[in-house]
Amino acid sequence: MDDTSTSGRAEAQPIRLKRTLGLTSLLLFGLSYMGPIVVYPTYGVLATVSQDTIALSYLIALGAICFTALSYGYFAKRLPVAGSAYTYTRRSFGSYAGFMVGWALLLDYFFLPMVIALTGTVTLGAVFPDVPSWVWVVGFVALITALNILGIEMANRLNIILMVAQLAIGGLFILLCCHYVIGASGPAGLLSVEPFFKSGVPLSATMAGAAIAAYSFLGFDAVATLTEETIDPTRNVPRAILLTALIGGSIFVVSAYATQLAHPGLLFDQPESAAFEIAKKIGGDVFVGIFLTGLVISQTASGIAAQASVARLMYAMGRDGVLPTKVFSYLHPKFKTPTINVLISGAVSLLAVKLDIATSTSFINFGAFLAFTAVNLSVIRQFQLSGDKTTIGPIRGVLLPLLGAITMVWLLASLDKTAVAMGAAWFVLGLFYLTWLTDGFRRVPPEVTL
């Protein structure tokens, strides 16, 4: 009878996510989500918006993100459930504010795979203009969806290979830019303030560029969505968040700086394909082929990571009753992956055929900036509520997160009007859903545990 009872209990155990990821895997996941060479697909568009101060735009975005990364690290070490702007805001400002921040963050996660599919399509469309764009979108979405259904372990193994390849190609691009500059103006040409400061360019243009450039950083916080699949998450998750932001941001700034030295100005045949023009200029047709391979690898790795994150965020929301449980909390019995959520994300990604890069990146940044602002303010709130302030001083507990919140609000205000309108519409939709979910604010919404 005991054996039967034991067997029955074993069979009744729920399917759970597997803890297999260490610090290195988390860091690679975050960097893949960001994409070390993601600078190039959006280079022409960003250079145009920032009026050729793209390196400074990335530097401003890096500073803003690092303040927020420190705030994420603060919470990841102090809360048993590490990693969610939703969780941090809920603990600091209450259930309703937490839900709305989580809804804003969902905008970032939910539509980011679509934006990655879009940038990949624009990249391939510039090289193969005769192929319909929908072919690239469908092929890309089908590939990353299949990999994410098969499991995080397989995606992680492939991710390591893809990361090494794109880092190598990105490094080669920078070296060729430097070689070109030295050949044109000597070694002294590598030292210039032009990529950062140009007379006559207003700060508003650079900030508008920074608001788009921040898209490249989305992913430094996404490693937190893998908390339940991480070994020793309270130690590894906060470290991975900060390292991802610092390493990825440094790569972006150096890449933009070197590219601007090799190709100053805004003379492009097409802004969307500016990177290929520069690649041909510094390395010829052979390097263009290598560079195209690198961009495809980068988009694939980013797509895998982005889709994996949103699928797990929806899984957590479904498991805790914020979204319909039967649908969103489902895990495949063999692969241990949230299969339905992966398929939903893939379906949404097909919308990439209808949007442009500037609008779509700004649109998802709206949700990210709101969530990041809330995380910084939550640190200040926790500092005020804490009875023991000996472990953290006012600089770490007030000044740095306040600077983070201010820079995020500034970036939010620098988004284009269409993106703000679309983001505001999403926010209002969330408010209506919260009203329905709580019976007109008569009860608290369910809590999501990530």
Side-chain angles (χ1 to χ4, degrees), residues 106-142:
L106 185 60
L107 174 64
D108 167 14
Y109 284 118
F110 196 54
F111 290 98
L112 183 57
M114 177 198 70
V115 177
I116 294 172
L118 172 62
T119 55
T121 297
V122 170
T123 297
L124 290 168
V127 181
F128 306 102
D130 295 331
V131 178
S133 60
W134 67 265
V135 173
W136 300 120
V137 172
V138 172
F140 175 81
V141 171

Side-chain angles (χ1 to χ4, degrees), residues 302-371:
S302 296
I304 291 171
Q307 193 183 72
S309 291
V310 70
R312 281 149 182 81
L313 178 61
M314 289 190 290
Y315 165 74
M317 296 178 76
R319 180 185 58 193
D320 297 322
V322 177
L323 295 176
T325 301
K326 288 185 178 180
V327 176
F328 293 95
S329 67
Y330 172 80
L331 290 179
H332 193 282
K334 179 180 179 181
F335 302 124
K336 307 294 190 298
T337 53
T339 308
I340 295 177
N341 299 342
V342 172
L343 292 173
I344 291 173
S345 176
V348 171
S349 297
L350 296 177
L351 296 174
V353 297
K354 296 295 184 180
L355 293 174
D356 63 81
I357 291 177
T359 299
S360 59
T361 53
S362 297
F363 171 49
I364 63 172
N365 280 352
F366 179 92
F369 294 159
L370 278 180

